[in-house]
Amino acid sequence: MFRSDRMGMPDGLAVIGPGDAGYERVRSTAMRAGSPALVLQPVDVAQVRAALAVARRRGVAVGLRSGGHGISGRSTNDGGVVIDLSRMNRIEVLSERDRLVRVQAGARWKDVAAALAPYGWALSSGDYGGVGVGGLATAGGLGYLAREHGLTIDHVRGASVVLADGSVVRAGADADPDLWWAIRGAGANFGIVTSFDFEVDDVGDVGFGRFVLDATDTAGVIARWGAAMEAAPRDVTTNLIIVPGPDGRLAATIMGVVNSAEPDVVAERFAPLLRAGPLLQQTVRHLPYAQVMDNTGDRPEKVATGEPISRSGLIEHLTPEFSTVAHQFARSGATYFFQFRAAGGAVADVDPGATAYPHRSANFQVGAFGNSHRELGAAWEPMEAHFRGLYLSFDSDLRPERIAQAWPPKTLARLRELKLRYDPGNVFRDNFDLIPPA
Ligand SMILES: Cc1cc2nc3c(=O)[nH]c(=O)nc-3n(C[C@H](O)[C@H](O)[C@H](O)COP(=O)(O)OP(=O)(O)OC[C@H]3O[C@@H](n4cnc5c(N)ncnc54)[C@H](O)[C@@H]3O)c2cc1C
């Protein structure tokens, strides 16, 4: 990096640019290749403010990065500034009595799970341990404890936020409730959340199952798994993934958790799901939730070399009609990974207006990855009529009309009104931008 690029940098702030040792490691994320002009790695709130001031002075795109797993890939860019919170990863217990913990945005979910395990606690998060806290806890957070304990955002009791003008504010029920509402579903548009206060749950050992089914009858597998999930008690949450097997035939993997340490309960809960199709393989383990989340392996973190290509939608029921078009999509050749995630249960207990994640009645999240935007979009289209909303965390399609799918008119109107109050200059726009193009 040129000496001139360092001029005006705040003392002590870690600055990495092209040509620096370490640039290759930070320029791209797990999902998207990038070449930012600067990656700034603050270690505290004062440095986050300083980093934001640097980005604002330059007037370039600002990427916010916590764990670098954002599927839209906006935590890197080309020629802009990235504010990378990975060094802010502290996890501390605030109150053992109230099960209240403070987690900085740069922590990873596997570390959160490991830190809570000695207390017999867990926090409903996503299901991959390498994902960062900041991106997931400002968007939703749909994982293996969702049907029993809700989304991650449903556990946020307060947050510390650096706003676009550099001010540091606290958001919570009694401190700035409007901001608290907005950052639970649309956080990326409102500021840099540096830490979250979460109320966590008592969770001990769980049953973790992985089952492979023949999916020759893809439509039948999808519809039967969906019906079984909706009928299941809340302590079970699973995903269904459809992928081509080595012989070209489609296989379905059901993976998920029964939140019980009792082997009989675990077996009883999984049994109806396995009737979705002919069972080819099964593994069930009884282990602490933290071990389920310790799933990133020892290999170095994945670094993307291209652009992410994914589509997603939320749906209430996996009806036979929907399952038939999903079957055709699975066979279209446009996707190499097609996934259904169960929601419902505690997710649906929350009033749709209580947070900026309104689609509480969706029992399923559907998502797919592909190699071509055009091919994936065309094959995906016939399913669109069945969707009732969008969880942006699984989407890479940034077209403005997607915003209206993510947020219904009332929610979107409130978000836009608050956006003008908290970020009138639209500094935080380099993701799913709430402000329509002029
Ligand atoms: C392998 C994999 C598995 C996943 N599994 C799940 C899952 O089970 N459930 C689920 O709900 N999601 C899941 N996701 C999606 C994931 O939750 C989102 O992509 C999330 O945004 C990633 O967070 P991050 O901090 O790692 O990402 P980053 O790339 O660092 O950030 C993503 C975006 O979030 C915003 N952001 C990041 N940090 C902050 C902050 N501190 N303040 C404000 N905005 C911020 C920025 O706009 C940024 O572009 C998965 C993603 C991957 C790649």
Side-chain angles (χ1 to χ4, degrees):
M1 182 180 170
F2 297 114
R3 182 190 291 270
S4 58
D5 281 339
R6 280 198 201 282
M7 279 165 55
M9 286 296 161
D11 284 348
L13 177 64
V15 181
I16 307 172
D20 287 339
Y23 182 70
E24 288 306 311
R25 201 170 28 79
V26 298
R27 63 184 294 178
S28 301
T29 70
M31 301 305 293
R32 181 174 177 231
S35 51
L38 287 177
V39 177
L40 307 174
Q41 295 186 320
V43 294
D44 57 26
V45 171
Q47 287 195 357
V48 173
R49 297 182 66 209
L52 180 59
V54 169
R56 290 204 61 170
R57 269 201 307 276
R58 293 191 169 219
V60 291
V62 187
L64 304 182
R65 184 184 302 170
S66 289
H69 280 73
I71 287 176
S72 63
R74 301 302 118 179
S75 55
T76 191
N77 52 45
D78 291 322
V81 171
V82 170
I83 301 176
D84 173 359
L85 302 178
S86 59
R87 296 182 185 208
M88 295 178 64
N89 55 13
R90 213 169 42 244
I91 302 163
E92 59 183 313
V93 174
L94 296 181
S95 163
E96 237 181 290
R97 196 197 58 193
D98 299 330
R99 296 193 306 268
L100 201 62
V101 298
R102 179 162 294 168
V103 184
Q104 286 188 315
R108 306 291 174 124
W109 288 107
K110 67 176 175 186
D111 299 321
V112 174
L116 301 184
Y119 298 87
W121 298 341
L123 172 56
S124 184
S125 66
D127 54 25
Y128 182 63
V131 166
V133 168
L136 183 133
T138 49
L142 183 60
Y144 290 140
L145 299 175
R147 294 183 74 250
E148 183 154 15
H149 292 300
L151 300 174
T152 308
I153 55 170
D154 301 336
H155 295 263
V156 176
R157 299 293 171 258
S160 171
V161 188
V162 176
L163 296 177
D165 65 1
S167 56
V168 181
V169 295
R170 169 122 189 114
D174 347 303
D176 217 329
D178 283 338
L179 185 61
W180 184 51
W181 175 83
I183 59 164
R184 290 175 299 153
N189 261 280
F190 283 88
I192 308 173
V193 180
T194 53
S195 69
F196 302 83
D197 294 349
F198 293 110
E199 186 180 336
V200 302
D201 292 296
D202 287 316
V203 175
D205 281 8
V206 299
F208 178 64
R210 186 175 181 282
F211 311 93
V212 180
L213 278 60
D214 180 305
T216 307
D217 173 17
T218 312
V221 169
I222 294 170
R224 285 189 289 272
W225 172 81
M229 261 328 311
E230 283 195 51
R234 290 177 172 213
D235 55 9
V236 51
T237 305
T238 67
N239 302 331
L240 176 76
I241 303 163
I242 297 183
V243 283
D247 56 0
R249 286 168 53 175
L250 292 180
T253 301
I254 296 175
M255 207 152 62
V257 156
V258 176
N259 184 14
S260 168
E262 296 296 325
D264 290 350
V265 174
V266 172
E268 192 184 305
R269 296 288 193 266
F270 280 138
L273 301 170
L274 308 188
R275 291 196 277 275
L279 186 61
L280 302 176
Q281 283 175 31
Q282 61 173 318
T283 325
V284 177
R285 293 189 293 155
H286 300 272
L287 69 187
Y289 177 73
Q291 273 182 39
V292 175
M293 292 301 291
D294 188 12
N295 54 11
T296 57
D298 297 330
R299 58 193 180 278
E301 193 154 296
K302 183 186 155 219
V303 177
T305 51
E307 284 284 320
I309 299 175
S310 74
R311 295 299 295 263
S312 72
L314 292 165
I315 187 166
E316 302 211 344
H317 310 290
L318 303 181
T319 58
E321 296 73 29
F322 170 75
S323 301
T324 301
V325 282
H327 177 125
Q328 283 152 6
F329 173 74
R331 277 157 207 281
S332 65
T335 181
Y336 58 87
F337 185 90
F338 185 26
Q339 183 178 46
F340 300 77
R341 289 167 181 270
V347 176
D349 289 346
V350 176
D351 182 321
T355 68
Y357 183 100
H359 302 291
R360 298 288 175 167
S361 60
N363 286 306
F364 301 95
Q365 197 275 335
V366 185
F369 285 89
N371 292 315
S372 146
H373 274 298
R374 197 184 46 78
E375 280 174 24
L376 187 68
W380 182 266
E381 195 51 38
M383 291 193 293
E384 282 286 2
H386 298 266
F387 294 135
R388 297 284 175 273
L390 176 63
Y391 172 35
L392 288 171
S393 280
F394 287 103
D395 220 295
S396 69
D397 177 2
L398 299 174
R399 285 174 302 145
E401 53 266 41
R402 302 293 276 164
I403 296 295
Q405 288 173 290
W407 292 291
K410 203 169 149 206
T411 317
L412 189 54
R414 185 173 177 196
L415 283 171
R416 285 182 168 151
E417 190 190 315
L418 294 176
K419 176 77 176 176
L420 294 178
R421 191 193 310 167
Y422 291 103
D423 181 15
N426 204 7
V427 172
F428 303 112
R429 63 178 175 273
D430 195 22
N431 204 326
F432 294 92
D433 187 357
L434 278 174
I435 305 300

